[in-house]
Amino acid sequence: MTFFRPAFRHPELPPNAAGYLRQDYEGGISTLCAGCGHDSICNAIVQACFELALPPHRIVKMSGIGCSSKSPAYFLGKSHGFNSVHGRMPSIATGANMANRDLIYLGVSGDGDTASIGMGQFIHAVRRNLDMLYIVMNNGCYGLTKGQYSATADKGSKGKKGGVNELESIDLCELAIQLGAGFVARSFSGDKQQLVPLIKAGLSHRGMSFIDVISPCVTFNNNPESTKSYHWVREHSEATNTFDLVPFRRPITAEYADETVQEVVLHDNSVIHLHKHRDAPDITDRRQAIDNLEDHKAQGVILTGVLYANPDSADTHDILHTCERPLNSLTEADLCPGSPVLEAINAAHR
Ligand SMILES: Cc1ncc(C[n+]2csc(CCOP(=O)(O)OP(=O)(O)O)c2C)c(N)n1
Ligand code: SF4
Ligand SMILES: [Mg+2]
């Protein structure tokens, strides 16, 4: 069995704006179960990075442990990568981000990896508003260890084996909004049309972008009584809005009537055009975003799309006033400013 992707592609496939081909963003051949939602998310990541024309060598992909966390092997094969310990991706991402703020950070995790063993790590990365895109591939179970319920499994949901889940579920999007993430969205692995622009918007936002993607585990949690199955999600989801991301390099045009479109300008001047559904709440209002999630949950509906966006949020570097340059670019003169400066610092503490 080979795990290498054939290099041959149609010679006329067009490159992106930076001159890279789509295959420059691909990884190895997946070893996940055929039909696993995680594979669709990997494809959406490849597509989003290709469309944004990000230089692959400027991206850092990080993960913990789980089927979801091994998926970075299947995308962005020319990027930097770090497969960390179970639940520890956020602290590794924090350290790397503090050392080099010039790179683009993409963390991939599972619902087990994030909502149980990694919960302490997750909440602190969010409250620090770490500049990264954090994607949870949420199947409501521990796929890698044979399908035990995770903390995001809905109360009343039933997996392929065992009884009904009696415990309350943790809503990671609600937590992320409460803790100050600047961009929060939910999607479904089977909805590429919605997922690709969400990933592009998440990568364009500065600060914490969090996307919870419901991603069915076809082996352990895809039976009709599971609220994380393909069938259930297709029958019970509703989008807050449909939207386009207009990257900053393209001309921005106002194509829609004011009362039906909400415009959000991201830090790099990309623009999200949200086509709001009738009576949709203001997604820049944190309280409304949480109420909206809870209201839909009470009706048994999974709300997808952009749930909350705050384009003005300050990221960890802004908050801590850190050095503006990557630490590896600092010279001895930068690091040792000389006796008079040190004297002045010491004097200030006397
Ligand atoms: C410290 C530690 N505890 C437990 C495990 C066993 N373990 C491996 S993956 C996993 C859970 C995976 O679930 P999730 O993060 O939801 O990923 P999925 O496989 O569902 O994509 C567990 C408990 C481990 N590898 N390390
Ligand atoms: S066990 Fe489930 S989560 Fe893991 S690869 Fe198979 S379908 Fe995907
Ligand atoms: Mg899982």
Side-chain angles (χ1 to χ4, degrees):
M1 192 170 185
T2 175
F3 298 113
F4 291 100
R5 210 177 272 277
F8 176 78
R9 293 288 189 288
H10 194 286
E12 286 171 19
L13 281 177
N16 61 19
Y20 295 103
L21 294 169
R22 194 179 185 281
Q23 72 188 96
D24 292 322
Y25 298 87
E26 291 171 352
I29 291 194
S30 173
T31 58
L32 302 179
C33 308
C36 175
H38 300 353
D39 275 332
S40 308
I41 303 173
C42 294
N43 283 329
I45 291 171
V46 169
Q47 189 62 27
C49 293
F50 171 72
E51 288 180 16
L52 281 179
L54 300 176
H57 63 275
R58 290 199 51 237
I59 305 173
V60 185
K61 49 176 185 170
M62 302 188 145
S63 61
I65 297 290
C67 297
S68 36
S69 289
K70 71 184 216 179
S71 73
Y74 317 132
F75 58 81
L76 297 172
K78 295 182 176 174
S79 300
H80 306 277
F82 198 109
N83 185 197
S84 76
V85 189
H86 199 18
R88 269 50 168 190
M89 178 272 284
S91 57
I92 302 290
T94 305
N97 194 303
M98 289 302 101
N100 190 341
R101 59 191 293 170
D102 277 358
L103 299 175
I104 300 158
Y105 292 93
L106 167 61
V108 166
S109 180
D111 42 313
D113 196 61
T114 287
S116 287
I117 195 166
M119 183 56 117
Q121 300 241 332
F122 168 70
I123 57 177
H124 290 285
V126 175
R127 69 183 269 278
R128 292 184 183 120
N129 214 355
L130 193 67
D131 186 15
M132 70 179 296
L133 169 58
Y134 192 131
I135 295 179
V136 168
M137 299 180 170
N138 186 354
N139 52 18
C141 70
Y142 298 169
L144 192 73
T145 54
K146 297 202 178 300
Q148 302 86 345
Y149 291 130
S150 75
T152 67
D154 295 304
K155 194 174 178 183
S157 179
K158 187 180 174 314
K160 192 167 162 188
K161 291 191 181 147
V164 170
N165 175 43
E166 304 287 359
L167 302 178
E168 283 296 338
S169 71
I170 294 174
D171 188 324
L172 292 171
C173 287
E174 236 179 271
L175 257 185
I177 295 170
Q178 258 170 26
L179 292 167
F183 179 89
V184 180
R186 174 163 283 141
S187 193
F188 172 44
S189 62
D191 188 352
K192 190 177 171 190
Q193 230 184 340
Q194 184 191 58
L195 185 54
V196 172
L198 283 177
I199 294 174
K200 285 165 71 179
L203 286 166
S204 305
H205 172 83
R206 193 175 74 225
M208 174 60 73
S209 304
F210 177 73
I211 309 181
D212 178 50
V213 188
I214 298 170
S215 175
C217 169
V218 289
T219 303
F220 298 112
N221 205 12
N222 194 35
N223 45 304
E225 313 82 26
S226 163
T227 59
K228 298 282 192 283
S229 63
Y230 281 111
H231 180 77
W232 185 281
V233 181
R234 285 203 180 104
E235 294 287 309
H236 295 84
S237 60
E238 185 182 310
T240 46
N241 36 51
T242 48
F243 79 99
D244 306 323
L245 176 86
V246 184
F248 71 100
R249 61 184 82 81
R250 285 197 220 133
I252 297 164
T253 51
E255 294 167 34
Y256 310 96
D258 278 355
E259 59 284 357
T260 59
V261 175
Q262 185 173 340
E263 190 174 279
V264 181
V265 182
L266 302 178
H267 84 280
D268 67 350
N269 291 329
S270 298
V271 176
I272 301 178
H273 279 158
L274 290 156
H275 310 264
K276 290 211 294 178
H277 287 177
R278 190 178 297 280
D279 303 327
D282 176 2
I283 59 138
T284 58
D285 184 321
R286 216 152 121 174
R287 255 178 128 144
Q288 273 194 48
I290 292 176
D291 285 352
N292 203 24
L293 269 171
E294 283 295 322
D295 289 348
H296 281 78
K297 217 181 293 174
Q299 295 161 30
V301 175
I302 304 164
L303 195 62
T304 65
V306 182
L307 304 174
Y308 175 70
N310 173 9
D312 300 321
S313 63
D315 86 325
T316 321
H317 291 284
D318 298 334
I319 298 165
L320 298 182
H321 307 289
T322 57
C323 172
E324 284 180 9
R325 281 161 48 200
L327 300 190
N328 65 0
S329 72
L330 299 180
T331 62
E332 193 179 340
D334 297 316
L335 294 169
C336 185
S339 304
V341 177
L342 291 177
E343 268 305 315
I345 292 172
N346 285 339
H349 293 291
R350 278 184 196 118

